[in-house]
Amino acid sequence: MSHRDPPGIIAPHIPADAYRRAEATGQPVVIVVHTTDHTGRPLRDYLYPLAVAGAGAIGIFTTIAALLALLDFAVHTAVSIAAATGPISIGGISLKVFGSKR
């Protein structure tokens, strides 16, 4: 009688003596595969919305920071121009906006 190795991918999961006994007697080999049910949602279902929301939040914060930097630059420019021009006069009424009160 010749002994053969178990066929295919299930070979490491069947004990050799059980396989040879089943081969000699003609009994079927029953293979039990234990699996776990995935009852929860996969991480991918949560990760994509969080990534989109995070990117949106970063975009909004960046836009606000850019607007504040632009406003700061505009105010500094206006102050520099006002300080360089001196008093403002419209229709004969003179008003000195910036400068010392001496």
Side-chain angles (χ1 to χ4, degrees):
M1 175 174 210
S2 66
H3 292 287
R4 294 179 297 158
D5 289 331
I9 194 168
I10 57 175
H13 303 289
I14 301 173
D17 60 339
Y19 179 78
R20 290 190 179 102
R21 184 175 53 247
E23 185 180 37
T25 61
Q27 293 176 339
V29 177
V30 178
I31 301 170
V32 178
V33 179
H34 297 284
T35 61
T36 58
D37 293 333
H38 298 289
T39 56
R41 295 172 65 178
L43 182 62
R44 177 182 58 232
D45 290 346
Y46 297 107
L47 189 61
Y48 290 145
L50 285 176
V52 169
I58 289 172
I60 289 172
F61 287 145
T62 305
T63 303
I64 291 172
L67 288 174
L68 289 175
L70 184 63
L71 180 65
D72 183 50
F73 181 72
V75 167
H76 282 284
T77 303
V79 167
S80 298
I81 292 172
T85 58
I88 299 173
S89 61
I90 299 174
I93 300 173
S94 175
L95 176 65
K96 186 167 185 174
V97 180
F98 296 102
S100 64
K101 296 188 176 188
R102 291 188 234 164

